Amino acid sequence: MRRLSILGSTGSIGQQTLEVCRKAPADFTVEGLTCGSDIATLYDQIKEFSPVAVAVSDPIKGAELAKRLKDEGIKTEVYTGPDSSSVIAQLSECDTVVGAIVGFAGLEPVYHAILSGKTIALANKETLVSGGDFIMPLAREKGVDILPVDSEHSAIWQCLRNGDAKNLDRILITASGGPFRGMKREDLENVTAEKALNHPTWKMGGKITIDSATMMNKGLEIIEAHHLFGVSVDQIDVVVHPQSVVHSMVRLKDGSVLGQMGRPSMILPIIVALYYPERGPAFTEPFDPFAAGINNLTFEKCDTEVFRLVGLAYEVGRQGGLLPAVMNAANETAVMAFLDGRIGFLDIERTVYEVCSGFVQSAGQTVDIDSVREADRIARENAEEILRKFIS
Ligand code: NAD
Ligand code: MG
């Protein structure tokens, strides 16, 4: 029986995690839930799962929810404000924290969960992109497992679970290519948020869907894999695989390539993490090689001339230090501006490049929670400044 706190429970990964809990009530209890502002969904989740406590980042929405629960005599405690997810991450009633908040906001609660010794099932890749340099050593020091939920990393992890981590030569991380695969740069200039949100194979939250369209998602995942599996970014190749059936591959020293296959669903990687070190039951239809649409698996190179953020992520990953946190913050800021209709699609890339190239890394700079928080803050300010010139 795992006792869960689910951070970002109203989002795509959060709701799918609760779907697993719903189907396996004997295997999980839900002790804590958190969200940004979607108190209507959170209220329904409280009614169904009766958590000990919840958190709402938006203080006004949080107060509204607290009043409603009090009026109805519901005992669940409500914490509010930007730091409230960190309280839920440390609840003594929970042993496992699911990190499913989107963006840099997910880092701090995961950091506190590790400090208090919780097992981490991690979907929030921005935590490792920005803070992997101190998050991974801290987890080792505290004896805390970080179990990957991101599907590619779950695949890589599963391929290495037989003890082959010591034989790892290269990681072949797969990418669907997103909705704009095969397009030219001039075609990308005027694509709308609506088009960019229409992902061909995965249903996900807004930010990661835009990241998939720019392919920054793959860039973030390269850095995520570097931290999770202890390889340099130059040992990772991106393989565009539009069918999203092979979720990633590893090449071992003897040349053998292992991959993990499945339907494009996050339920399986969630189950793999939550039942670790055991294997869970089948909650989704198993992969069928004869099913329609998956009888023709293809693999191609990533066009880094068109999707330039992938190349940037390699360079940023090589340089390390605070630069990955800077790139992540610039990207989050620019993606939000694009979703709000303030800038064009390629302006995301322009903003991220400009923020990164203007960042001066101090030699020997310590990467810790404070320096990363500060780098994130400054990079957001710089990004806001830069993207203003793209607003027409
Ligand atoms: P989403 O936008 O659907 O959900 C985000 C959740 O975070 C919501 O519950 C929201 O209320 C909450 N949230 C936002 N800001 C918050 C804050 N400041 N404090 C507390 N909660 C806050 O996002 P998603 O698609 O579920 O993605 C979540 C994370 O998982 C992202 O880091 C994403 O990259 C990663 N991921 C998602 C998928 C997927 O299929 N959706 C796959 C792999 C990895
Ligand atoms: Mg992924």
Side-chain angles (χ1 to χ4, degrees), residues 125 150-153 202 204 208 217-218 221 224 266:
K125 62 196 77 183
D150 208 348
S151 59
E152 296 78 0
H153 306 75
W202 293 97
M204 310 176 286
I208 182 176
N217 185 48
K218 217 43 57 180
E221 289 184 351
E224 182 186 14
M266 290 308 294

Side-chain angles (χ1 to χ4, degrees), residues 7-16 34-38 55-58 81-82 84-85 99-103 105-106 109 122-127 149-152 202-209 211 217 220-221 224 266:
L7 314 178
S9 64
T10 61
S12 164
I13 294 291
Q15 295 201 33
Q16 292 180 81
T34 85
C35 75
S37 59
D38 180 2
V56 183
S57 172
D58 178 328
S84 57
S85 275
I101 291 176
V102 60
L122 190 63
N124 175 270
K125 62 196 77 183
E126 296 91 342
T127 289
V149 171
D150 208 348
S151 59
E152 296 78 0
W202 293 97
K203 270 197 117 35
M204 310 176 286
K207 192 255 174 185
I208 182 176
T209 307
D211 284 345
N217 185 48
L220 299 176
E221 289 184 351
E224 182 186 14
M266 290 308 294

Side-chain angles (χ1 to χ4, degrees), residues 165-209:
K166 61 181 182 298
N167 299 316
L168 180 61
D169 177 26
R170 294 192 78 74
I171 287 176
L172 310 177
I173 193 165
T174 53
S176 70
F180 304 140
R181 183 176 62 89
M183 276 171 69
K184 308 236 172 313
R185 276 189 78 78
E186 51 271 31
D187 303 329
L188 289 180
E189 196 71 68
N190 295 315
V191 297
T192 59
E194 192 194 344
K195 286 229 169 66
L197 285 170
N198 190 15
H199 195 279
T201 48
W202 293 97
K203 270 197 117 35
M204 310 176 286
K207 192 255 174 185
I208 182 176
T209 307

Side-chain angles (χ1 to χ4, degrees), residues 102-103 125-126 177-179 196-197 199 204-221 307 309-310 327-328 330-336 338-339 345 348 352:
V102 60
K125 62 196 77 183
E126 296 91 342
L197 285 170
H199 195 279
M204 310 176 286
K207 192 255 174 185
I208 182 176
T209 307
I210 301 303
D211 284 345
S212 302
T214 61
M215 291 203 67
M216 178 46 115
N217 185 48
K218 217 43 57 180
L220 299 176
E221 289 184 351
F307 298 100
L309 287 171
V310 176
M327 178 186 74
N328 178 69
N331 181 58
E332 279 186 35
T333 310
V335 168
M336 290 314 142
F338 173 69
L339 282 171
F345 185 73
I348 301 174
V352 178

